[in-house]
Amino acid sequence: AGPAGVCVMNSDGSNQVKLTDGSLEVVGAPSWSPDGSSIAFAAVSDSKPADIYGLGADGSQSMRLTDEEHDDAYPVWSPDGRYIAFSSLIDDDFETIIIRPDGTDRLNLSQSPGTDILPAWSPDSTRVAFYSTRDGNGEIYVVNVDGSGLINLTNSPADDGQPVWSPDGSQIAFSAFIEKVPDLHIMN
């Protein structure tokens, strides 16, 4: 069957096309650019750690956006298309990082000794919410795109994660695991 790849298809399931060749094994879900022209994804190649790649929606212009000695995963495009946020394994902890679509201007938004993963963009592309264990258990944090204004939004005994912004940016839905049982919550 070969390695996992990035594929596209029509919304009715027809016209399925594999865009990546066998040199990359895709790990995790790809992310469309807001204008639909590009796809970001994480993949491993030649027994190296996972990196973030960009690819034209037609399979053209494949480009490695990160080339680190550690794993990069979970890419997510900003709604304005100016950045890609992702999780990067640095010094045995994941950090939330942003880069430009050409791989430049790398900025560590989370900078903590805990695990900081699963970034979620605000609809106006000015803030990123993410899951963090910096306080001992999972919490939702939000930070401005320039790395300023870090705020702990949840601060609860539950393991809070998987933030998703409302379309107008006024609320965040998230899961809270209390004694391993998930609940769905919404907050301003």
Side-chain angles (χ1 to χ4, degrees):
V6 173
C7 301
V8 294
M9 65 182 167
N10 295 333
S11 60
D12 65 2
S14 65
N15 198 29
Q16 296 178 16
V17 177
K18 186 173 182 179
L19 300 180
T20 53
D21 62 25
S23 66
L24 298 173
E25 181 162 354
V26 175
V27 291
S31 176
W32 282 99
S33 64
D35 67 3
S37 67
S38 301
I39 300 169
F41 61 97
V44 294
S45 174
D46 302 324
S47 301
K48 290 182 62 177
D51 284 311
I52 305 298
Y53 290 80
L55 178 68
D58 61 358
S60 65
Q61 303 168 351
S62 180
M63 182 170 126
R64 179 180 277 169
L65 303 178
T66 64
D67 191 5
E68 308 294 328
E69 295 302 315
H70 48 263
D71 286 317
D72 295 329
Y74 312 114
V76 182
W77 283 85
S78 63
D80 65 7
R82 294 179 56 216
Y83 295 99
I84 299 170
F86 61 96
S87 302
S88 185
L89 184 60
I90 301 171
D91 297 329
D92 297 323
D93 284 310
F94 277 99
E95 298 286 347
T96 293
I97 308 291
I98 61 171
I99 57 173
R100 297 283 185 177
D102 63 2
T104 62
D105 296 336
R106 183 182 177 103
L107 178 63
N108 184 338
L109 295 180
S110 55
Q111 300 186 24
S112 97
T115 295
D116 301 293
I117 60 172
L118 302 176
W121 286 96
S122 64
D124 65 3
S125 300
T126 63
R127 297 178 292 166
V128 176
F130 58 92
Y131 168 88
S132 178
T133 62
R134 69 183 64 214
D135 297 323
N137 72 311
E139 302 289 354
I140 305 292
Y141 278 76
V142 68
V143 65
N144 295 326
V145 73
D146 65 1
S148 68
L150 181 71
I151 300 170
N152 178 343
L153 296 180
T154 52
N155 197 18
S156 75
D159 188 23
D160 302 320
Q162 300 170 320
V164 178
W165 293 81
S166 64
D168 67 1
S170 68
Q171 295 184 309
I172 295 175
F174 64 98
S175 60
F177 288 83
I178 301 171
E179 297 179 15
K180 298 183 181 183
V181 177
D183 279 329
L184 180 62
H185 293 263
I186 297 174
M187 64 182 162
N188 291 333

